[in-house]
């Protein structure tokens, strides 16, 4: 179990909700902390194959979806992705899609109704993370993933391979085994399959075999048995290699199963038979005579396969015994791996993601492989791409825009219809290649920076920011002057009005008192009508006094008089 702690970086059970431990004592964790997109699904129980492969995560949105797993930069890692369709959606339509790693194309995944499909790759990490992505290639066929594994290998394993390239596994087989072998029998958790058509299996009497000095540190279990041919006149068939654009790298492991003494001899060579020379076996190695009790490894590096090629072991002329083999690994050597998107842009994008949570769901290389950039980016076609546009309209961004001035290859920044606030950053006007900047319909405030207002080559849109002053740097100072100059005017008007109001009120009160006194000393007249004719009616001062006392008021009619 201590070995597992050394070599396991991640065992991810995609779409699962609980931690599970499998029959190989490997602990698998759910993927919900590693990915924010996609839907967890489950294979119908009738199609169940294992606790790990019965769940999956399917992605119905975005061009590509990625898992990013922390590693140590410079580590040699083994990455394995597994896919089991199992008719999880009931459509009986197993999808096809692309698989990427660290911005490089890995493989086209072709799933089936019933098969578990696995892809494995080994390489030296150029970053402090491993990214594995699935990308949709056909309408209506959605990518998914069942499990993802990352293991650490020793740096001296598969050392023939240039560190700028990856090894894509084509086949790994333990020929003498009757069942598959992986951890804990292989401390690096490589999966060694067994062939279904064993010609002849022989047990190794020297088991266990000393493998301490064997290249690539194969597990001792693959040497417990071996596969051997039926005679010296018939080649021992190992498999077929399809034509490849890049060369292959193969390791073959041999150990003699019995002590031959000085009388018997086993000697053979590796041959390739292809369609360009159907009548000839093409020798591909020097004669091999396996040692008893230890191991010899025959490696082929940069072996080109231009046509369908069958691999055989053929007995050498002086051999008394047929060929024998314990195990074999065959890899395709990749093209030179990309360094990824320009690190300056990657750092700035990381700043954007840490500022705006809504952007945190994107991972993997921002631009690669083309054309699978993040949905809100456009990138150049350079070997080391640069980000040329940010298309973040209607992304519900809020708060202040961080300093992304280092992204000096940007041609377009579109941030319209968000809730960005605060002052518009002046660095936007100094970005050397920026041609279009759309900040419309946000909540920016304050003056428009001079770097933008005087930038004649920039197509600028700041409409829909009601608190933004677009008159230049003088905007803030003008506003201040208006506020300071308006105050004396307001005070100059308000104070006299206040004084006049109280003066008028005082005059009104004085006049009212005088009028009341006059009414008391003078008879009052009112107009009344009798039979439609107007009269002048006079009330005496006595009557007023009586009225004030609440008694009837005597009235004296003086004379009829016409009232105009």
């Amino acid at each position: 179990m201590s070995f597992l702690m050394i070599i396991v970086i991640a065992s991810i059970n995609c779409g699962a909700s609980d931690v599970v431990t499998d029959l190989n004592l490997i602990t698998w964790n759910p993927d919900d902390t590693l990915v924010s997109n996609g839907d967890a699904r489950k294979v119908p129980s009738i199609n169940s194959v294992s606790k790990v492969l019965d769940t999956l995560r399917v992605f119905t949105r975005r061009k590509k979806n990625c898992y990013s797993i922390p590693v140590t930069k410079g580590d040699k890692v083994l990455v394995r992705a597994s896919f089991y369709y199992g008719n999880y959606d009931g459509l009986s339509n197993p999808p096809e899609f692309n698989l990427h790693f660290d911005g490089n194309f890995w493989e086209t995944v072709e799933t089936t109704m019933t098969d578990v499909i696995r892809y494995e790759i080994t390489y030296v990490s150029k970053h402090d993370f491993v990214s594995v992505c699935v990308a949709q290639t056909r309408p209506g066929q959605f990518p998914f993933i069942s499990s993802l594994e990352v293991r650490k290998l020793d740096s001296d394993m598969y050392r023939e391979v240039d560190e700028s390239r990856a090894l894509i596994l084509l086949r790994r087989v333990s020929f003498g085994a009757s069942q598959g072998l992986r951890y804990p029998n292989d401390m690096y958790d490589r999966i060694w399959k067994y062939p279904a058509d064993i010609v002849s299996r022989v047990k190794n009497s020297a088991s266990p075999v000393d493998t301490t000095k064997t290249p690539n540190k194969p597990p001792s279990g693959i040497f417990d048995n071996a596969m051997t041919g039926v005679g010296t006149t018939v080649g021992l068939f190992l498999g077929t290699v399809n034509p490849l654009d890049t060369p292959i790298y193969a390791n073959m492991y041999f150990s003699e199963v019995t002590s031959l003494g000085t009388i018997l001899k086993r000697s053979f060579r590796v041959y390739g038979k292809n369609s360009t020379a159907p009548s000839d076996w093409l020798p591909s190695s020097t004669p091999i005579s396996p040692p008893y009790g230890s191991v010899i490894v025959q490696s082929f590096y940069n072996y080109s396969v231009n046509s369908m090629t069958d691999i055989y072991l053929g007995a050498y002329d002086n051999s008394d015994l047929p060929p024998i083999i314990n195990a074999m690994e065959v890899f395709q050597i990749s093209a030179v791996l990309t360094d990824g998107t320009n690190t300056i842009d990657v750092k700035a994008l990381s700043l954007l993601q840490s500022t705006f949570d809504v952007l945190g769901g994107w991972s993997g290389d921002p631009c690669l492989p083309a054309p699978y950039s993040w949905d809100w980016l456009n990138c150049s076609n350079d070997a080391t791409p640069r980000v040329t546009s940010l298309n973040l309209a209607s992304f519900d961004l809020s708060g202040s825009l961080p300093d992304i001035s280092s992204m000096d290859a940007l041609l377009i920044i579109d941030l319209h219809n968000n809730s960005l606030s605060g002052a518009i950053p002046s660095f936007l006007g100094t970005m050397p290649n920026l041609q279009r900047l759309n900040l419309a319909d946000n909540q920016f405030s304050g003056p428009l920076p001079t770097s933008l207002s005087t930038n004649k080559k920039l197509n600028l849109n700041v409409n829909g920011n009601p608190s933004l002053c677009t008159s230049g740097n003088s905007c803030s100072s003008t506003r201040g002057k208006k506020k300071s100059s308006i105050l004396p005017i307001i005070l100059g008007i308000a104070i006299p009005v206040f004084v006049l109001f109280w003066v008028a009120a005082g005059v009104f009160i004085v006049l009212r008192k005088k009028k009341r006194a006059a009414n008391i000393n003078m008879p009052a007249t009112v107009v009344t009508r009798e039979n439609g004719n107007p009269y002048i009616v006079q009330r005496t001062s006595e009557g007023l006094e009586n009225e004030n006392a609440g008694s009837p008021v005597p009235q004296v009619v003086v004379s009829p008089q016409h009232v105009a």
Side-chain angles (χ1 to χ4, degrees):
M1 195 67 178
S2 60
F3 285 151
L4 186 62
M5 298 304 294
I6 296 172
I7 60 98
V8 168
I9 295 176
S11 299
I12 302 166
N13 186 5
C14 302
S17 56
D18 299 312
V19 176
V20 299
T21 300
D22 66 13
L23 298 176
N24 296 299
L25 305 180
I26 298 173
T27 300
W28 296 82
N29 294 299
D31 65 344
D32 53 355
T33 61
L34 296 173
V35 64
S36 60
N37 197 19
D39 301 311
R41 302 295 295 272
K42 191 171 183 178
V43 170
S45 57
I46 193 173
N47 298 328
S48 172
V49 293
S50 74
K51 289 188 292 185
V52 172
L53 296 175
D54 286 351
T55 61
L56 56 96
R57 185 171 294 274
V58 60
F59 301 95
T60 58
R61 301 177 298 278
R62 302 181 186 173
K63 291 188 292 185
K64 71 176 178 183
N65 288 272
C66 303
Y67 290 81
S68 287
I69 301 160
V71 298
T72 300
K73 183 178 179 180
D75 274 355
K76 182 169 286 187
V77 293
L78 179 155
V79 182
R80 186 161 51 231
S82 299
F83 307 87
Y84 177 54
Y85 173 61
N87 201 24
Y88 76 87
D89 54 4
L91 300 177
S92 299
N93 183 28
E96 178 180 307
F97 48 90
N98 280 353
L99 179 64
H100 307 153
F101 74 100
D102 291 5
N104 302 276
F105 174 80
W106 183 348
E107 190 60 78
T108 296
V109 179
E110 298 178 4
T111 61
T112 71
M113 286 287 293
T114 58
D115 296 328
V116 175
I117 309 297
R118 284 192 176 96
Y119 297 96
E120 180 184 302
I121 196 164
T122 297
Y123 64 101
V124 175
S125 175
K126 294 186 177 185
H127 310 284
D128 56 3
F129 62 88
V130 162
S131 71
V132 176
C133 310
V134 289
Q136 185 175 8
T137 57
R138 295 187 175 186
Q141 294 197 359
F142 299 117
F144 73 90
I145 186 168
S146 302
S147 69
L148 182 60
E149 303 161 73
V150 183
R151 310 289 187 246
K152 180 180 178 181
L153 304 182
D154 290 346
S155 59
D156 60 348
M157 297 171 65
Y158 310 112
R159 59 187 177 186
E160 294 90 349
V161 181
D162 182 352
E163 290 191 356
S164 66
R165 300 173 186 269
L167 292 177
I168 303 170
L169 181 67
L170 299 177
R171 191 181 189 196
R172 180 183 289 117
V173 58
S174 177
F175 286 107
S178 58
Q179 59 183 7
L181 183 153
R182 62 180 300 181
Y183 183 86
N185 297 298
D186 186 328
M187 63 177 290
Y188 301 99
D189 195 29
R190 291 166 291 189
I191 298 176
W192 300 81
K193 295 184 177 181
Y194 66 98
D197 51 347
I198 292 292
V199 177
S200 177
R201 182 185 294 115
V202 291
K203 185 172 178 60
N204 193 336
S205 61
S207 180
V209 174
D210 182 10
T211 61
T212 54
K213 296 182 180 180
T214 305
N216 308 321
K217 302 179 180 178
S220 61
I222 66 174
F223 301 104
D224 291 345
N225 299 282
M227 181 175 73
T228 183
V230 295
T232 60
T233 60
V234 180
L236 180 58
F237 177 67
L238 301 182
T240 300
V241 181
N242 296 325
L244 297 169
D245 295 332
T246 56
I248 68 168
Y249 166 58
N251 292 313
M252 298 181 182
Y253 301 90
F254 306 98
S255 180
E256 186 56 73
V257 294
T258 185
S259 179
L260 301 182
T262 58
I263 300 176
L264 297 176
K265 183 175 183 179
R266 193 192 305 270
S267 181
F268 52 88
R269 299 177 75 167
V270 181
Y271 291 86
K273 182 180 180 181
N274 61 39
S275 58
T276 60
S279 60
D280 297 322
W281 283 19
L282 308 178
S284 303
S285 74
T286 57
I288 300 168
S289 294
Y292 178 64
S294 60
V295 180
I296 186 172
V297 180
Q298 178 73 62
S299 296
F300 299 90
Y301 180 64
N302 271 349
Y303 184 86
S304 296
V305 181
N306 301 316
S307 61
M308 194 77 71
T309 301
D310 295 332
I311 306 298
Y312 289 87
L313 299 180
Y316 203 52
D317 294 340
N318 61 348
S319 180
D320 302 307
L321 299 171
I324 192 172
I325 186 170
N326 298 91
M328 179 174 69
E329 297 175 289
V330 182
F331 304 91
Q332 179 183 1
I333 302 173
S334 78
V336 174
L337 302 181
T338 178
D339 290 329
T341 301
N342 187 286
T343 55
I344 293 175
D345 290 341
V346 171
K347 289 179 180 178
L349 291 173
S350 179
L351 177 59
L352 278 172
Q353 289 184 299
S354 62
T355 303
F356 305 115
D357 291 341
V358 69
L359 303 182
W362 276 266
S363 61
D365 191 279
C367 295
L368 294 172
Y372 295 101
S373 63
W374 291 354
D375 293 21
W376 43 280
L377 302 178
N378 283 15
C379 302
S380 70
N381 294 323
D382 302 329
T384 302
R386 298 298 307 271
V387 177
T388 58
S389 69
L390 292 178
N391 309 307
L392 289 170
S394 304
F395 262 69
D396 198 25
L397 308 181
S398 61
S400 301
L401 185 67
D403 187 348
I404 55 171
S405 57
S406 59
M407 301 181 73
D408 52 14
L410 280 173
L411 302 174
I412 298 170
I413 299 177
D414 187 352
L415 298 170
H416 84 271
N417 195 29
N418 285 293
S419 300
L420 296 171
S421 58
I424 295 178
S426 60
F427 70 76
L428 292 171
T430 63
M431 301 182 76
N433 294 296
L434 194 62
Q435 299 173 4
R436 187 162 77 243
L437 176 61
N438 191 346
L439 304 177
D441 301 317
N442 278 283
Q443 298 174 14
F444 288 113
S445 60
L448 187 67
T450 305
S451 61
L452 289 175
S453 61
T454 60
N455 192 333
K456 302 302 181 183
K457 69 176 184 178
L458 184 63
N459 182 345
L460 175 65
N461 186 351
V462 293
N463 293 330
N465 288 276
S467 298
L468 184 68
C469 181
T470 58
S471 61
N473 286 338
S474 61
C475 174
S476 59
S477 58
T478 301
R479 286 188 172 188
K481 288 181 179 179
K482 284 183 178 180
K483 288 181 180 179
S484 60
S485 60
I486 287 174
L487 182 59
I489 295 174
I490 293 174
L491 293 176
I493 295 173
I495 292 174
V497 168
F498 180 81
V499 172
L500 289 173
F501 172 80
W502 286 109
V503 169
V507 171
F508 175 78
I509 292 170
V510 171
L511 292 176
R512 183 180 178 88
K513 288 182 177 181
K514 290 182 177 180
K515 185 176 180 179
R516 185 174 181 84
N519 287 338
I520 294 173
N521 297 322
M522 295 177 61
T525 61
V526 296
V527 178
T528 62
R529 291 179 181 271
E530 183 176 293
N531 297 325
N533 296 317
Y535 284 85
I536 299 298
V537 180
Q538 178 178 352
R539 286 188 293 185
T540 65
S541 58
E542 179 184 29
L544 288 174
E545 291 174 357
N546 291 335
E547 181 184 35
N548 291 335
S551 58
V553 179
Q555 296 184 346
V556 179
V557 177
V558 178
S559 63
Q561 182 174 335
H562 176 73
V563 179

